[in-house]
Amino acid sequence: MTRPYRVGVIGSTGRGGYGHRLDDCWLAEPRTEIVAVADDNKAGLAHATKRLGVDRGYTDYRKMIEETNPDIVAICPRWVDQHRDMALAAAERGIHIYMEKPFCPSLDQADEIVAACQQTHAKLAIAHPTRYSPKIATIKKLIADGAIGEVLEYRGRGKEDHRGGGEDLWVLGTHVMDMIRAIGGHPQWCFAIVSEEGDPVTAKNVVDGNEGLGPLAGDAIQAMYGMPDGSTAYFATHRKAGGNPSRYGLQIVGSKGILELLEGPLPPVKYLGDPSWSPGRSGAEWQNVSSAGIGEEEPLTDPLYRSRHGLAIRDLLAAIEEEREPIGGMEEARGATEMIVAVFESQRRGRPVDLPLKNRKHPLSMLG
């Protein structure tokens, strides 16, 4: 494409705003230009047009899409209750999408978005920055080369702050689930316990979640997943149980050691070459891992690798031009969402559930 990609930005001040700066990230990409912004809050819209340096502002995103016909729409709000409608408005016109996480609040909505994108060949990328990190390939190579031996477990945790439990699972767990899938593939089953003050949740515990999450329950979650290689993945979150430093992130535990991965486009990665998993026993020390390997200096110094969205945007543009799916595309977004929803489906049914889930409705709306 010789001309710049024309980007329409959708925000919603007071209802998720512009997420983790999904609006001004396009200014750093020379092959894109922001042509319009939509925000249903007039004050927020005025601020956004000035901040982004655009003349065309709309209070109705549908009108923006119709009148400007951008190549790409950035769906920025953190709140997910409008994600489906915003995505469908773009996808049905064949407009490509970059969307804030979480993807959407239920699998039936995820299915609608995927179907619409497939129908018009619109590309959709989700803002899971770790998925695009070159360190993912480094970790997979270290595992393949036997650095941690046989993979036994994936251990993920949320931030476990005031959002601990169901909200943490959605808001931060989506990153962890995507990390698990990026390295280990999609799970085959899930078994989970969702509790509130120590008791299994029931219909009386279901509330309308913050940030447009829809039905939500639980101040503690313990979930396990059967991985394709026979290992087990775990995710847990407990309200107000977070540490300082945080435990948020993912550990891949093997028979010979551990790899630890945090979130980001070039995130901290640590390696412990210790089959006991206990430096207190072995005297082993954690080592830094760069994109070049264990103990190596990081060769990637371009500011692009420090930008939360830069790698994702570059990959989306390449996916459009190469007619392929983005690295963090719609199926990856749906897969992370399915891992989250499976937690509540397992709780509803009181047993392990196979993936993909047969039930596409929100399990918490079906509790008796």
Side-chain angles (χ1 to χ4, degrees), residues 179-197:
M179 292 179 204
I180 292 171
R181 294 184 76 255
I183 297 166
H186 194 58
Q188 298 173 334
W189 54 263
C190 171
F191 181 51
I193 297 173
V194 183
S195 59
E196 186 85 34
E197 296 183 350

Side-chain angles (χ1 to χ4, degrees), residues 28 67 95 117 128 280 334:
E67 292 190 0
I95 296 170
C117 289
H128 286 146
R334 178 163 62 177

Side-chain angles (χ1 to χ4, degrees), residues 87-360:
L88 292 182
E92 288 170 356
R93 289 175 171 266
I95 296 170
H96 308 296
I97 300 164
Y98 185 54
M99 182 188 289
E100 179 63 286
K101 59 77 192 173
F103 186 37
C104 55
S106 64
L107 283 178
D108 54 356
Q109 290 192 19
D111 293 342
E112 286 185 72
I113 296 170
V114 169
C117 289
Q118 289 174 335
Q119 182 69 28
T120 63
H121 306 290
K123 307 301 182 186
L124 184 150
I126 192 78
H128 286 146
T130 318
R131 168 67 73 157
Y132 307 92
S133 174
K135 287 194 177 184
I136 292 294
T138 303
I139 290 170
K140 293 175 78 169
K141 185 177 188 305
L142 287 171
I143 292 171
D145 290 347
I148 61 170
E150 179 186 358
V151 174
L152 302 176
E153 300 175 3
Y154 294 81
R155 297 177 179 173
R157 299 196 78 91
K159 287 192 174 179
E160 300 183 280
D161 51 18
H162 64 282
R163 299 169 293 183
E167 186 174 351
D168 198 16
L169 171 66
W170 273 109
V171 177
L172 283 312
T174 185
H175 287 295
V176 177
M177 302 309 180
D178 190 62
M179 292 179 204
I180 292 171
R181 294 184 76 255
I183 297 166
H186 194 58
Q188 298 173 334
W189 54 263
C190 171
F191 181 51
I193 297 173
V194 183
S195 59
E196 186 85 34
E197 296 183 350
D199 295 320
V201 298
T202 63
K204 69 178 182 181
N205 301 114
V206 178
V207 298
D208 190 22
N210 293 328
E211 301 190 356
L213 289 170
L216 198 63
D219 61 12
I221 287 171
Q222 299 173 79
M224 61 190 300
Y225 301 87
M227 301 300 290
D229 65 356
S231 64
T232 306
Y234 299 91
F235 180 84
T237 169
H238 293 253
R239 189 169 299 162
K240 296 183 178 179
N244 187 16
S246 173
R247 294 184 292 269
Y248 170 53
L250 177 68
Q251 289 189 338
I252 306 115
V253 182
S255 59
K256 295 181 180 179
I258 301 173
L259 284 162
E260 182 176 79
L261 169 66
L262 304 188
E263 178 213 324
L266 202 64
V269 176
K270 299 281 188 178
Y271 167 71
L272 180 67
D274 178 6
S276 74
W277 310 339
S278 174
R281 297 184 190 184
S282 66
E285 294 184 354
W286 288 93
Q287 297 175 264
N288 291 323
V289 179
S290 73
S291 62
I294 299 168
E296 300 291 337
E297 290 291 324
E298 180 54 65
L300 302 176
T301 58
D302 190 294
L304 177 69
Y305 295 101
R306 303 295 188 273
S307 164
R308 185 171 181 85
H309 304 291
L311 293 174
I313 289 172
R314 289 281 175 93
D315 180 70
L316 175 58
L317 301 184
I320 294 168
E321 293 168 0
E322 297 166 11
E323 297 184 354
R324 62 166 173 83
E325 284 303 304
I327 291 172
M330 58 187 179
E331 292 293 357
E332 311 305 335
R334 178 163 62 177
T337 303
E338 184 169 52
M339 288 182 70
I340 293 168
V341 174
V343 170
F344 299 113
E345 178 70 349
S346 176
Q347 173 64 34
R348 181 181 78 88
R349 302 186 68 178
R351 62 173 180 81
V353 292
D354 291 333
L355 300 181
L357 292 174
K358 293 181 179 179
N359 173 35
R360 312 304 281 181

Side-chain angles (χ1 to χ4, degrees), residues 3-8 26 29-36:
R3 66 172 175 82
Y5 287 88
R6 302 169 67 255
V7 179
W26 303 93
E29 172 50 58
R31 291 192 293 160
T32 64
E33 65 172 347
I34 301 173
V35 295

Side-chain angles (χ1 to χ4, degrees), residues 38-69:
D39 190 326
D40 52 7
N41 181 293
K42 290 184 178 180
L45 177 61
H47 184 65
T49 54
K50 181 178 180 180
R51 182 176 68 251
L52 300 176
V54 296
D55 297 326
R56 304 184 75 172
Y58 297 81
T59 55
D60 184 340
Y61 67 83
R62 293 180 178 85
K63 187 176 181 181
M64 180 195 75
I65 290 172
E66 180 180 350
E67 292 190 0
T68 66
N69 192 32

